[in-house]
Amino acid sequence: MAPPTFPKLGENVLNSTPTVRLSKRDVILGLIVFGVALAIRIWHISLTNYIDHNGDSYHHWLTSYLTATNNYGHTDYKGDAVNIAWLPLYHYVIAVLMNLFGVYSLDVQHGFNILLGSLTCLMVFALTRNKSFTAPSLAAGLALAVQPWFVDITTLGISEVTAVFFLTLGIYIFVRDKVAWSAIPVILAMLIRYEAWVFALALLVIGVVQRRSSYRQFVIYSIFCAAVVVGWSLNSWTQTGQLTSWYTIQSMTVRWDRLFTIGVGGVQEYVEMLIEATAGMFVLGLFVGMLKKDRDTRLLFLLAVAFLSM
């Protein structure tokens, strides 16, 4: 039997194709990761008495409720022009669940996000399971399962949780060199959060640089992702007469949040958030990769800088 192989320090999960098929033992370990993640999130939200401290949760709830009770027309109390600041898929999912279960409270969002947050931890375990040694992948899944920032955010009624799940699923498919198929969860994320548009482009750039798939698959991926941007721009035009109104209105709401709720803006805001959310590991990982002169880590660094500078 060959000795187990350990991932190298600073190795990026995007730079290799998994060769290990999930075994029965992997399934058991994955269920453990999911169970721990689910239990700690239910425990956390019970400690808060189910009080949501994020203002966006209530806006998402109202939009979802109005959509559910308005024949599934995407409805916002601020009117159609401001309604395009939010992408629609998350609200439609919550609206369907509200009508399905007959529950029209924040409990629907909380329960849905707790489930997807726990599944994201499971996806991270599966995503990093590309070596014959299981400990690193188990550690990755459990670390995310108990990470305080991620635990808290996945118990709130916000749309980021759903987008992160679909992006993680997209990366899982992407690293298996199925670039065209990865477009499906990626475009679902793009219909939830504008940030996913940037990550969709980042995956495309990484795939091209690594020559991860055929030209045809990259074209299919690009067409699907571009269709979301074009479609939402046309929707913006039908409601406001301008193709880029979604960008103008979204930028306005982001500036408002920075000024009145965060207190800092621009690059500083996102750098502080990244450092806090990852306990400094994001910056440390980039630093180690740069020292190793790893091409993929340098590419991630440049893409991160580009995203933070937008």
Side-chain angles (χ1 to χ4, degrees), residues 198-199 258 265-275 282-283 286 300-310:
V198 180
F199 284 97
R258 289 173 178 171
V267 175
Q268 178 187 354
E269 169 195 345
Y270 292 103
V271 171
E272 290 181 359
M273 187 180 298
L274 281 170
I275 293 174
F282 175 81
V283 176
L286 286 179
L300 285 175
F301 175 77
L302 292 175
L303 291 171
V305 170
F307 174 64
L308 295 173
S309 302
M310 294 181 65

Side-chain angles (χ1 to χ4, degrees), residues 111-129:
F112 184 66
N113 283 356
I114 286 174
L115 175 62
L116 288 194
S118 303
L119 286 174
T120 300
C121 298
L122 174 61
M123 286 304 308
V124 167
F125 166 78
L127 174 63
T128 54
R129 182 69 177 93

Side-chain angles (χ1 to χ4, degrees), residues 45 50 52 54-66 68 86 89-98 101 103-117 152-162:
I45 197 172
Y50 304 92
D52 198 312
N54 191 291
D56 281 351
S57 298
Y58 299 92
H59 194 169
H60 284 303
W61 167 81
L62 184 56
T63 302
S64 300
Y65 172 77
L66 292 174
W86 296 113
L89 182 57
Y90 179 72
H91 303 133
Y92 276 115
V93 171
I94 298 302
V96 169
L97 292 175
M98 283 179 170
F101 293 103
V103 177
Y104 297 90
S105 67
L106 271 170
D107 292 341
V108 177
Q109 291 160 253
H110 290 162
F112 184 66
N113 283 356
I114 286 174
L115 175 62
L116 288 194
D152 182 62
I153 201 172
T154 51
T155 60
L156 303 176
I158 55 180
S159 59
E160 287 88 339
V161 180
T162 309

